[in-house]
Amino acid sequence: MDILTDTIAWLTTADNWWGPAGILQRLWEHLQYSLLAIGLAVLIAVPAGLVIGHTGRAEPGAFALSGAARAVPTLGLLVLLGRWYPVEAWPVIVVLAVLAIPPILANTTTGIGGVDPAARDAAQGMGMTPIQVLTRVEVPLAAPLILAGVRSALLQVIATATIAAFAGLGGLGRFIIDGFAVSDDARVYGGSIVVAALALVGEGLFAVAQRSVRPAGIRRRRAPLLSAAVPIPPTAGGVST
Amino acid sequence: MTAAPGGATDTSAGDVAIRLEHLTKTYPGAFRPAVDGLDLAIPRGELVALVGPSGCGKTTTLKMINRLIEPTGGTVWVEGVDIRTQPTHELRRGIGYVIQQAGLFPHRTVGDNIATVPKLLGWDRARMQARVDELADLLRLDRGLLGRYPAALSGGQQQRVGVARALAADPPVLLMDEPYSAVDPIVRAQLQDELLTLRREVRKTIVFVTHDIDEAIKLADRIAILNVGGILEQVDPPAEMLRAPRTDFVADFLGDDRGIKRLSLMTVGGASLSKGPVVGQSATADDARATMAELGYDWVAVCDGDDRLLGWIGAAELDGATAVGGLTPKPFLAVVTADTTLKAALDGIVTSRTRVAMAVDGEGRYLGMLTVDDLAEGITA
Amino acid sequence: MTSLAARPPSWSGFGFDGNWDVVWYYILVHLRITALALVLGAAVAFPLGLAGYRWRHSYPAILGVTSVLYTIPSLSLIVLLGLGFGLGLLNDKPLIIALAIYTLAILVRNLVEGLRAVPDSVKDAATGVGYTPLRSLLVIELPLAVPAVIAGLRVAAVSTISLVSVGGVLGRGGLGFLFFEGYRRNRTSEIIAGIGASIVLAVVVDIALVLTRRVLTPWTPARAVR
């Protein structure tokens, strides 16, 4: 029980929250890395996914990429970056973005590609231009799946950013790394709790966003909210939902 | 026990394979029972079709026989035994079950699929192999298919495997739940014909659910028409039911072409033939004209020396001719044999120029003529 | 012959030469952790999955709990397990358990979905020919769920192999140690060797699982099902 009381003490000490090395500062750094990386990834992956899903070309490539990315040991990459670009945040953010692209790409592709062809045909039959079909029919219908991909990617980025502290970056991982170095268990534990809380809050927000984005009238899937975090592996090309 | 409305179903216990006694099924929360107190006896060796509109409970009734659905009231007797006295899986191993999508196990070869129940019953390998081969031949399945997986087979072949699997352990009773509804019409007709042939070789008691009254008429020894709620409207052999439907519901269900449906159950062999205007090749034109006048037709049929039917010649062509032999007879559109159904004959009659069908034997020799009047007599007899 | 009990060999110099035995040593450590995590995860996923399949109302709860755990980032989970349950951070146990939890989350879902994906007509037929529910599960439903389970296993295996090296932050984690040391001692070769070995390991295991699936499911066409 010692570790618990120490940790609670650490978490409730005001000094630990404020200041240049405080929890809030680190949280802010963490959010910066994560949101910038995700933003970059979305900018690249979503349009690419829209194109690939719509035209159906290069689809296997998109999924292969997703599978391949999973095999990369992120700590190794981060440490390499730490060697080549010490203390610089942008290379890390770029790498985080690159790692976040596959799940978003795969989900967007499946989402667009999985839109009921009948709906697409009807839209074209009504006289919508391809862009209109995309924006008024395909994207709204694929939105939940696309969001699920972004959600999964964000989770991954938050997790990887935590590890990035090892290679000299800021963020919440600093508490874990530095605390471990000096055997300050309370700091390590406290930092882990804050990271976990960040991840859970992010997931929760996304779950709500996903529900509100789902076009009214589409039947809810049986699976509960949080289950979307777990990736359904590609069987016939399906991805995280 | 009340007798079911309709024909001879008061058979003694020994001749009844399955007896449904006041069978009831009410689903929890439902206003009305899906099946309400059904009494029905299935005679041994007969194929009884359960037919009716949706909601009539025909599939529910079928599934209560092998306890896939548990009755909420009443009893089912199979071969004199109350089915509740047996463990369900034992009951089912003794009853063959064929369903619409065949339900073949995709991860087992065709041969293994067929051998499912024998394996459950613990047969030895040699016996199972022999039985599988026997069934493959019986169901007209190429033995080469036995080692393949179901996915490689066509819909029709899969259905045949489904039937083979149901027959494997030689159960006395077979339950078939709309087995041919999921295949295309051509394959369906084939499978139906094969079932008829099969029954000539292997006599089993079959309860057959279908929504297609024509299928029931074609296949069944006895049809049981159910109304919504499992109410038994009539149970009779098809010909009898078509001749005398007991209620308006039955009449409606049979369709407004009842008479013609009856014709599909009768063959030319059983009908009486008329005398037709026929002359031999060697006849003169005057002979031909005389025959036409005598019987009141504007054409004559021509036979060769062996009585084989060659065709017909119209009155117009005879003008100016002296002998029949010099003219070329036109072939008859409707030529029937003893096996042809009267319905097919009617189709030929109605669409032909001569408005008759000519009956011939196996060698093409003229036997007689069939007119629409002859058919009408056949129905009303 | 390298043995895991012996003292780990040290990287010498800045190049690759003469260091292959070091890489091999840590590959073995890495595999051990991976195997333990996968086996543990699968062992728990199996009964949980069957329960979720058999008792439908339990499935959302099971899924909810595993999903929440899955959300927790790897390093954080390792620490929470290590410090929260008194396992300490200086051994492999928290890492193995954390990875087992991730594996579990993936496999439970795949097992249940795989079982549910068995066509109703096949399940009906199985009951109809007289299989007891237990036997039907063992010889019909589970075998037909194998492709889905292996698909999940592939994701779990590859993710686990990649995540094991996160332990390098704490100075452990199989090939992760090469990242740890390579960083501290400025040895790029060590880091690259670790990355390469990890990727190769993941690819080999993935291929092995695909081949296993082909062997176990002779009835499915060998189309590339990703």
Side-chain angles (χ1 to χ4, degrees):
Chain A
M1 279 292 119
D2 263 322
I3 172 81
L4 206 51
T5 43
D6 287 346
T7 309
I8 293 175
W10 183 83
L11 282 170
T12 51
T13 310
D15 277 344
N16 289 337
W17 282 81
W18 304 97
I23 295 177
L24 288 177
Q25 171 64 20
R26 296 300 187 203
L27 180 58
W28 173 233
E29 290 166 358
H30 207 111
L31 280 173
Q32 279 183 298
Y33 303 148
S34 307
L35 294 176
L36 284 171
I38 277 287
L40 214 54
V42 165
L43 235 58
I44 298 177
V46 170
L50 290 179
V51 170
I52 296 181
H54 193 81
T55 60
R57 276 182 247 165
E59 227 184 75
F63 298 125
L65 202 63
S66 182
R70 214 179 282 129
V72 170
T74 49
L75 179 62
L77 266 189
L78 290 169
V79 150
L80 211 53
L81 281 180
R83 290 261 308 120
W84 291 337
Y85 306 99
V87 197
E88 276 180 53
W90 273 105
V92 175
I93 294 176
V94 168
V95 165
L96 288 179
V98 168
L99 289 176
I101 287 178
I104 302 177
L105 181 61
N107 264 41
T108 309
T109 310
T110 309
I112 297 288
V115 166
D116 186 2
R120 212 179 290 149
D121 284 345
Q124 282 179 322
M126 282 192 269
M128 292 193 200
T129 67
I131 303 284
Q132 287 173 323
V133 172
L134 195 64
T135 53
R136 297 193 198 179
V137 177
E138 291 179 310
V139 169
L141 286 177
L145 213 59
I146 298 177
L147 262 190
V150 176
R151 170 179 172 175
S152 169
L154 180 61
L155 180 59
Q156 180 190 298
V157 164
I158 290 177
T160 316
T162 314
I163 302 171
F166 183 74
L169 248 53
L172 293 170
R174 278 256 67 84
F175 298 120
I176 303 177
I177 308 292
D178 296 339
F180 184 67
V182 298
S183 296
D184 182 356
D185 283 354
R187 204 190 319 176
V188 178
Y189 203 10
S192 306
I193 293 177
V194 178
V195 172
L198 174 63
L200 287 168
V201 165
E203 278 288 294
L205 287 175
F206 253 95
V208 170
Q210 254 180 289
R211 265 220 272 200
S212 65
V213 144
R214 180 179 300 273
I218 298 196
R219 204 156 48 101
R220 273 204 55 186
R221 290 178 61 102
R222 306 183 290 252
L225 295 181
L226 279 177
S227 70
V230 180
I232 303 178
T235 42
V239 287
S240 337
T241 46
Chain B
M1 180 189 335
T2 50
T9 51
D10 305 298
T11 49
S12 62
D15 290 339
V16 171
I18 303 176
R19 185 187 300 282
L20 307 177
E21 192 180 314
H22 214 71
L23 195 58
T24 308
K25 176 67 186 178
T26 311
Y27 285 103
F31 293 132
R32 270 184 307 256
V35 177
D36 196 2
L38 178 62
D39 289 297
L40 185 61
I42 315 274
R44 180 166 298 109
E46 285 197 8
L47 189 155
V48 174
L50 298 180
V51 207
S54 27
C56 71
K58 51 192 192 287
T59 297
T60 308
T61 302
L62 187 84
K63 285 183 160 175
M64 284 198 273
I65 298 177
N66 64 357
R67 287 178 77 182
L68 284 178
I69 295 180
E70 284 290 344
T72 44
T75 316
V76 177
W77 307 85
V78 174
E79 297 290 344
V81 175
D82 179 346
I83 60 174
R84 284 172 303 201
T85 60
Q86 261 182 314
T88 49
H89 56 269
E90 265 181 47
L91 169 73
R92 293 171 191 150
R93 290 175 198 178
I95 296 181
Y97 184 51
V98 181
I99 56 180
Q100 212 180 95
Q101 292 96 351
L104 300 182
F105 305 131
H107 59 310
R108 298 224 183 122
T109 60
V110 167
D112 286 336
N113 260 282
I114 297 178
T116 304
V117 183
K119 186 136 184 255
L120 281 174
L121 294 174
W123 290 18
D124 64 73
R125 186 171 295 208
R127 191 178 167 201
M128 283 198 296
Q129 188 58 54
R131 181 68 177 150
V132 168
D133 288 336
E134 182 188 339
L135 285 165
D137 295 336
L138 187 66
L139 271 296
R140 311 208 190 311
L141 288 162
D142 191 84
R143 285 204 193 180
L145 291 174
L146 291 175
R148 310 200 59 193
Y149 288 101
L153 270 57
S154 68
Q157 287 169 324
Q158 289 186 13
Q159 275 307 109
R160 291 184 185 97
V161 174
V163 176
R165 181 174 64 181
L167 289 172
D170 208 19
V173 168
L174 212 58
L175 301 178
M176 303 181 84
D177 190 356
E178 308 212 42
Y180 307 140
S181 301
V183 293
D184 68 67
I186 297 176
V187 175
R188 187 180 313 150
Q190 251 179 330
L191 293 174
Q192 288 167 347
D193 291 334
E194 284 172 23
L195 183 62
L196 290 171
T197 313
L198 187 70
R199 294 198 62 227
R200 273 176 250 166
E201 299 175 48
V202 174
R203 201 84 195 160
K204 298 246 172 260
T205 309
I206 302 181
V207 183
F208 191 105
V209 165
T210 176
H211 61 269
D212 183 356
I213 188 66
D214 291 311
E215 187 172 54
I217 291 170
K218 181 174 176 180
L219 299 175
D221 294 315
R222 214 174 288 264
I223 301 179
I225 295 202
L226 299 177
N227 205 341
V228 174
I231 309 297
L232 184 62
E233 293 273 337
Q234 184 175 354
V235 52
D236 264 324
E240 187 56 31
M241 187 177 280
L242 285 168
R243 189 185 67 78
R246 284 184 103 246
T247 67
D248 286 339
F249 176 81
V250 174
D252 283 339
F253 199 80
L254 292 174
D256 52 13
D257 56 345
R258 250 189 304 127
I260 297 185
K261 283 192 162 77
R262 284 182 69 197
L263 288 179
S264 69
L265 293 175
M266 297 183 247
T267 56
V268 170
S272 56
L273 301 169
S274 299
K275 185 164 188 267
V278 188
V279 294
Q281 259 183 319
S282 50
T284 63
D286 289 329
D287 291 335
R289 278 189 279 262
T291 314
M292 282 195 286
E294 181 195 331
L295 291 173
Y297 288 97
D298 61 349
W299 54 272
V300 272
V302 183
C303 286
D304 67 9
D306 286 320
D307 261 352
R308 269 192 280 263
L309 192 64
L310 297 172
W312 60 279
I313 302 176
E317 283 141 320
L318 281 176
D319 284 341
T322 42
V324 165
L327 302 167
T328 319
K330 294 188 274 271
F332 277 99
L333 186 63
V335 177
V336 296
T337 61
D339 281 338
T340 313
T341 66
L342 290 188
K343 187 173 171 201
L346 176 63
D347 190 79
I349 292 173
V350 162
T351 53
S352 69
R353 156 69 177 82
T354 53
R355 295 286 188 277
V356 297
M358 304 304 262
V360 299
D361 68 7
E363 262 93 67
R365 286 191 285 254
Y366 172 75
L367 292 173
M369 190 174 77
L370 210 54
T371 63
V372 175
D373 286 331
D374 293 321
L375 292 180
E377 257 183 57
I379 300 180
T380 52
Chain C
M1 241 345 327
T2 46
S3 130
L4 290 180
R7 273 202 66 202
S10 314
W11 198 275
S12 53
F14 288 88
F16 291 106
D17 305 323
N19 287 315
W20 297 115
D21 58 330
V22 181
V23 178
W24 180 242
Y25 173 84
Y26 286 107
I27 287 180
L28 291 180
V29 173
H30 203 103
L31 274 176
R32 177 180 165 272
I33 298 174
T34 304
L36 286 173
L38 288 176
V39 166
L40 184 57
V44 177
F46 194 67
L48 275 183
L50 287 181
Y53 175 59
R54 167 82 178 74
W55 295 289
R56 307 201 78 171
H57 46 271
S58 71
Y59 187 48
I62 295 176
L63 213 51
V65 169
T66 53
S67 299
V68 168
L69 291 173
Y70 190 88
T71 307
I72 301 175
S74 47
L75 190 54
S76 176
L77 187 59
I78 296 170
V79 168
L80 291 175
L81 286 170
L83 293 181
F85 289 85
L87 297 168
L89 291 177
L90 299 175
N91 59 79
D92 287 331
K93 286 202 205 98
L95 180 56
I96 294 175
I97 297 177
L99 295 175
I101 290 176
Y102 290 150
T103 302
L104 163 63
I106 296 173
L107 286 182
V108 163
R109 188 156 197 200
N110 275 63
L111 179 58
V112 173
E113 297 294 333
L115 285 170
R116 287 194 185 161
V118 174
D120 283 338
S121 59
V122 171
K123 293 186 205 172
D124 273 348
T127 320
V129 296
Y131 275 118
T132 56
L134 176 61
R135 200 154 172 186
S136 172
L137 184 67
L138 287 175
V139 304
I140 306 290
E141 293 162 83
L142 278 176
L144 289 173
V146 162
V149 170
I150 293 199
L153 205 53
R154 282 173 68 190
V155 174
V158 171
S159 307
T160 301
I161 289 174
S162 147
L163 283 173
V164 167
S165 52
V166 168
V169 165
L170 305 170
R172 320 192 55 81
L175 292 166
F177 180 77
L178 295 177
F179 303 143
F180 174 75
E181 235 205 10
Y183 183 62
R184 282 190 330 161
R185 300 207 200 252
N186 272 324
R187 292 200 278 243
T188 317
S189 59
E190 197 167 355
I191 300 171
I192 293 184
I195 295 178
S198 185
I199 293 180
V200 167
L201 206 56
V203 170
V204 165
V205 167
D206 193 60
I207 292 180
L209 285 173
V210 171
L211 291 177
T212 307
R213 188 195 71 207
R214 297 242 186 109
V215 164
L216 288 179
T217 62
W219 65 89
T220 45
R223 255 178 312 130
V225 175
R226 298 230 75 231

